[in-house]
Amino acid sequence: MSKPIVYGPRYSTYTRAVIMALLEKRVDHAVVHVDMDEQEHKAPEHLARHPFGLLPAFQHGDFAIYETVPILNYIDDAFPGVRLAPADILRRTRAAQIMSVINSYGYRPMVWGIFVPRTFPQPGKPVDEKAIAEAVPKARQALQAIEDLMLNPDPFLVGRQISLADLLLVPIIHYFAGTPEGAKILPHYPKLMAWHTIIQSRPSVLETVPKVLSGVE
Ligand SMILES: N[C@@H](CCC(=O)N[C@@H](CS)C(=O)NCC(=O)O)C(=O)O
């Protein structure tokens, strides 16, 4: 079958998680850039891949998927290599629960509520400090939940092996950690801090650092 294609920009946290899964499994793949600034994700060509106009979308042969969690599960099941879903039912369930917390409660306050307005202030407009301040307790609540759900003393979120939950979370924490709010809040979650320190040296993480973080254009 032809190699899988990821549609999305490498700076998108969800797209990055999918690319990291492919790297972890050593799957040869292609990435087709879909630019958010240019609104390419709302163009008919992309809406045909993802009716909600979000990123990423994924194609393997004639099988197309949108929504990151099923894409990650498909990659794990369809390709050989390291298993990214824990075999143990409790660990697998905790990983699924953490992914749900990330999607439902963590992504929006950390990325859109704090990282985006801090990193890309609108020219000529003051930063909406009130909106950022409102996102902070939401981010804290999600981080506390993830910290509580982590299974210690293992280095990754739910065990000794990296899991789909780690891949979904790392791009978000990577962005958030670079904001003043993240730098202040994250030290309150020692397990997450230790996890972030360890996972940052993972090849799949290093290979996918977005230009916005690496400073390379
Ligand atoms: N539920 C979607 C969320 C994907 C998502 O929000 N992606 C962001 C980029 S990281 C996006 O497409 N944002 C564009 C927009 O909100 O218009 C998934 O799990 O794939």
Side-chain angles (χ1 to χ4, degrees):
M1 203 189 266
S2 54
K3 63 183 176 185
I5 305 170
V6 184
Y7 294 92
R10 292 175 186 274
Y11 55 74
S12 138
T13 58
Y14 285 108
T15 305
R16 187 178 175 200
V18 167
I19 296 169
M20 286 195 302
L22 291 162
L23 292 173
E24 289 288 340
K25 307 257 321 177
R26 299 180 189 278
V27 178
D28 190 20
H29 62 276
V31 179
V32 174
H33 182 75
V34 179
D35 202 280
M36 279 164 64
D37 290 340
E38 299 296 329
Q39 293 293 303
E40 287 175 359
H41 57 310
K42 304 298 181 194
E45 194 182 349
H46 188 70
L47 289 172
R49 301 179 196 117
H50 194 316
F52 297 93
L54 295 176
L55 301 153
F58 183 86
Q59 181 92 32
H60 187 210
D62 55 12
F63 191 59
I65 319 172
Y66 62 86
E67 287 299 297
T68 302
V69 171
I71 295 170
L72 291 174
N73 280 312
Y74 176 83
I75 291 168
D76 199 26
D77 291 341
F79 301 101
V82 60
R83 279 300 282 175
L84 296 170
D88 174 73
I89 185 172
L90 299 185
R91 292 185 193 278
R92 196 164 65 247
T93 304
R94 281 287 179 254
Q97 195 178 356
I98 289 172
M99 288 197 280
S100 198
V101 168
I102 294 165
N103 285 338
S104 302
Y105 314 112
Y107 165 73
R108 206 137 273 282
M110 282 191 270
V111 174
W112 290 99
I114 298 170
F115 169 74
V116 171
R118 277 280 176 252
T119 315
F120 308 105
Q122 302 268 311
K125 275 195 189 171
V127 173
D128 189 343
E129 295 293 342
K130 186 168 169 282
I132 292 178
E134 281 169 7
V136 166
K138 294 178 185 163
R140 291 189 82 127
Q141 190 181 11
L143 290 166
Q144 186 64 60
I146 296 166
E147 175 96 353
D148 293 344
L149 290 168
M150 284 176 75
L151 296 174
N152 262 359
D154 304 301
F156 296 106
L157 293 179
V158 295
R160 295 216 166 88
Q161 308 293 328
I162 197 162
S163 75
L164 299 173
D166 296 270
L167 301 179
L168 197 64
L169 185 60
V170 76
I172 296 170
I173 298 295
H174 212 153
Y175 276 164
F176 185 59
T179 66
E181 286 75 15
K184 198 170 155 198
I185 291 170
L186 282 168
H188 289 96
Y189 308 100
K191 292 196 283 181
L192 270 172
M193 284 291 279
W195 164 84
H196 192 226
T197 304
I198 288 172
I199 205 162
Q200 277 188 76
S201 57
R202 189 116 187 141
S204 67
V205 175
L206 292 172
E207 277 178 50
T208 56
V209 174
K211 286 175 185 164
V212 62
L213 292 180
S214 70
V216 181
E217 270 317 318

